[in-house]
Amino acid sequence: MRKLINWLDNHLLKIGVGFLLAFIPLWPKLPLIDVPHTWVYIRLEDIFLTALVFIWVLNLLKGRLSLKTPLTLPIFLYWLIGGISLVFSLVFLSSRLSNFFPNVAILHWVRRIEYMVIFLIAFSTVKSLKDVYHYLFILIFTVLGVLFYGFGQKLLGFPAFLTMNEEFAKGIPLYLPEGARITSTFAGHYDLAAYLVFVIAILSALIFGVQKKLAKIGLLGIVLLCLFLLLSTASRVSFMVYLITMTIMLWWQKRKLLIIPVILVSILFMNITSGVGERYLKTFRVKQVVFDLQTGKPIATVDKIEDGKIITEAEKSPAEESLPAGSGYIGLPTTVTTAPKTMTVSIIKKQPLATTSGEVASISGSFLIQKALVYDISLTTRIQGEWPRAIAAFKRNPLLGTGYSSINLATDNDYLRMLGETGIFGLLSFLFLIANLAIFIKYALKKITQPFLRSLAIGVAAGFTGLAVNAVLIDIFEASKVAFSIWLILGITLGGLKLYYEEKIPLMSEIKKILFSPLFSIIILFILTFSFFAHSLNNYFVGDDFTWLRWAAQSTFKDIPSFFTNAAGFFYRPVPKIIYLISFTVFWLKSFGYHLLSLIFHFGTSAFLYLFTLKSSRNKLLAALAALIFLIMPSHGESLFWISTIGNDFAALLIIGGLYFFSLFRQNNKKRYYLFSFLLLLLAILSYEGAIVGPLIILWYELTLGQKRIKSQIAFLLLLPAYLLLRSWAGAHGLSGDYNYNLNLFFANSLGNLLGYLGLILTGPNFLSFYDSWRNFGRQYKNIFLLFSGLSMVLAVMIFWWGRRKVRFSSLAIFSFGLAILSLLPFLGLGNITERYSYLSSSGVAIILGLTLCKIYEFFRKKKIVYALLSLILIMGLLTNYYLSELNKTNKDWYKAGEMSLKLLSGLRLKYITLTYGKTFYFVDVPIREGRAWVFPVGLDDALWHSFRDETLKIQTVPSLEQALDLLDKTPNSHVFVFEKGELQEVVREVKQVPIK
């Protein structure tokens, strides 16, 4: 008896871990204790785990176990930040949050502790490789149990115990209909699919780690059965993650030749297994969509049109196996050049079969029928409901979030959920935990040669990577059965690795490598781009935007070859035309998507500038400063907030990218980099007229930072005459007005504009008022202006030359100065300056400012590193604050301009939607600008075309109200509108009745 007690005393924790490894996946989620205000229950596994934790704590207190693991510190840090977030939400936010219950929030925090404490327990029980073998045998038999019950559901009618809603969560056994998605012993098909992806990666990796052929065949058979069950869940996300996971596992196992066959066989299995293949096809479906022209919003997908009535598809529940369409739409281009027709009809909306009536009363009005890609209800729910809720919660308290359970039961994105519930600190603590896990496994695999343990570690690492990807669309780390299994298996695996690798991991050194790596810097740039400028995503269309959109609406993909050969009097920008056509296909008249594209281009240019500066200087601080300064320069207002500048932005991205690849060519002498650079410069020239300076910038690089081999520039320089000939042949739009060259004023304009652009780039749009005053002075006193400007330029050259001898400017500084000047060459001789023309030039100025800050940093560093850091932080802080404040002011102008545009279009459409045929609209005082933003500089024709799609409607801008009223009297069926403080009002001439005497 005493021996039995001693044996249990020594092995009870191991027995408990093995029991939970099998019990948690196999035991259905049957309720035990109800938690008020939610349908989440305390279950039997919680009781068992609590008992196991109690035994583990007793062993810790006796000194028989240690808390020392590779993940102890990050786990406790994650718990601590979660606790701080919880306390903050309970004390400061709970009274302002709807449907927030303190007991539920505390339970969610305790559940996170519960998930991870099992890692510490499992890790402490691994004393030898034999223990790992025992656990894996239990895992294999557990998987067999999951397979048995899953196929039993499919073939023998075994019941399912689900938690998809409040009634199901009560433990009611449900019998799945034929063709339903299998859940096995799990509470939902997504949970089962995620568990299978994880164990498939582990068991597949072990095939390469065991020696006996019978064991290999047995593992392969289990893997194939798991794959069939995975396909039976019909989970599209998990199947894609499975392919990613298997690719990673085979790559790490150095079995790259097997990747393609495994993917092909898996896809073959998918095609012969009903469910998942069909669901993939239903992710996006081409349907006719009815849009309400009064609001511009989609109403529903069209089933059929009969007798002037639009009958919509019946609405269905997301739980139905047919995967109904959602309310999210992606527009498709029309197959003809004319606009889609509008119909003034009634709509019959079908209702679910559960209602008493199959149809409801019709809705009368005018509607636009257009083909669209309709994405399913699952994706729609994420995009329109769950993710915006998480983002809104994050915005309320970015650092600590709004507390556990404050968003909803599900977010279908674990990372957004962490941001919403625990803020930036909570997400970073979890990422720190993952980084520690990755670093430990990386170092352990370098030392461990034992094939079985090595294969196990690779399988677990690949499986966890797959689940981390899966967490983008599913709350994987919050699903109890999956989460418990993950941390259990991680504890067992890391415990086994620790047996063979006990060296201290250079954690801080590895983290420092990550933090200072180019990839991390680029990720930070991406985050900063959307942190600083996400508010611009709400801006609406203005000005030239409608011209580009109208052109895209009347084009098709068959027209793309003609973009290169026939400009039709328009700008010669074939590449942006393709971008606008694709964008209109995807986003239609949703401005969000176009602004998102602008920010992506801006981020890409900043990233390429970082890489180029890093490659040219080998100074990470300089590269980071230059990229950050360029990202936030106040002269970027038009380029960031005006959709019409997409061509300009994309050309700058391509030029800086081409510059980076040419620098790689010069340093590595690999011809493919030369080819990449040439192709990017070619696309840049085909994107924007100003990009003609691209070859000159490459030449300037060769002369200052390169090897001064002029022959290498011939191919680039040949782009210039080729472009000019192609542009002329296509009949492109030429220069005119202020945006033209005047030879008599060319020198004066060039001097003045150069100073204007440099001032604009350095200080922002506020400089333009001073610049305008200076130009007015120049017009009145031309000779004095020219003399002063000339002396200023001579003085600047002398200072530069003197400074070069004293300070020895680096070649990078000389190149950057040339980059700034060369980028402005096409615009210096014009009659005016504009913000968007300074975009590419500002990249050179950003590098120069970065070099200046680095010089200041080095100066103070000689005295004391603390002074250097403080000076750098202070200067960058002030610069960032000023630059961002200027950009925010500019964005407010663009937002107001967009609001004026939106009010005009929606107001007119609401009032005259059915009455525009043959009408004439006269507009007075049409707003041209709102602060720094354009409103309607090219008139209203294109804007109102999108609103009415009526070719008979005539639009005319009139200088004065008197003239408009005169035209009103002469033109039948006409209306006069006047803008007053941005608001549109209709003017009606009063007719007085004079009594007859």
Side-chain angles (χ1 to χ4, degrees), residues 301-333:
T301 55
V302 177
D303 183 20
K304 55 186 176 180
I305 301 175
E306 291 181 350
D307 300 327
K309 294 181 179 180
I310 303 171
I311 302 176
T312 66
E313 287 190 351
E315 299 172 3
K316 299 177 182 178
S317 165
E320 291 190 34
E321 302 305 327
S322 60
L323 192 64
S327 57
Y329 303 93
I330 298 177
L332 292 176

Side-chain angles (χ1 to χ4, degrees), residues 728-797:
S728 176
W729 176 50
H733 181 273
L735 300 173
S736 62
D738 277 344
Y739 300 105
N740 197 357
Y741 298 118
N742 186 328
L743 295 180
N744 295 327
L745 299 174
F746 187 83
F747 180 69
N749 284 339
S750 297
L751 287 176
N753 287 344
L754 178 59
L755 295 174
Y757 276 116
L758 293 178
L760 169 66
I761 291 170
L762 287 170
T763 63
N766 288 334
F767 182 81
L768 294 180
S769 59
F770 169 78
Y771 164 80
D772 291 335
S773 302
W774 177 245
R775 284 189 68 91
N776 291 330
F777 173 82
R779 291 189 182 98
Q780 296 178 22
Y781 306 98
K782 180 180 177 181
N783 293 331
I784 298 175
F785 172 79
L786 288 175
L787 177 63
F788 183 81
S789 300
L791 290 175
S792 299
M793 294 300 296
V794 171
L795 182 63
V797 172

Side-chain angles (χ1 to χ4, degrees), residues 164-165 168 177-181 189-190 233-234 236 275 278-279 282 285 314-325 351-355 376-378:
M164 296 172 64
N165 58 48
F168 290 176
E178 184 179 353
R181 287 167 280 176
H189 64 283
Y190 287 127
T233 66
R236 297 160 295 170
E278 183 183 357
R279 285 174 61 82
K282 289 186 176 181
R285 283 163 281 180
E315 299 172 3
K316 299 177 182 178
S317 165
E320 291 190 34
E321 302 305 327
S322 60
L323 192 64
Q351 295 297 309
L353 295 178
T355 59
D376 65 67
I377 192 69
S378 179

Side-chain angles (χ1 to χ4, degrees), residues 833-844:
I833 71 173
T834 188
E835 295 172 38
R836 60 187 178 277
Y837 293 159
S838 67
Y839 186 70
L840 178 60
S841 176
S842 63
S843 62

Side-chain angles (χ1 to χ4, degrees), residues 423-462:
I424 293 174
F425 287 151
L427 177 61
L428 288 179
S429 65
F430 185 78
L431 296 179
F432 177 66
L433 172 57
I434 293 178
N436 276 262
L437 173 64
I439 292 169
F440 177 78
I441 293 178
K442 170 189 171 183
Y443 273 85
L445 286 175
K446 288 181 179 179
K447 298 290 185 180
I448 295 173
T449 57
Q450 210 280 343
F452 176 82
L453 191 57
R454 183 178 179 81
S455 294
L456 173 64
I458 289 174
V460 170

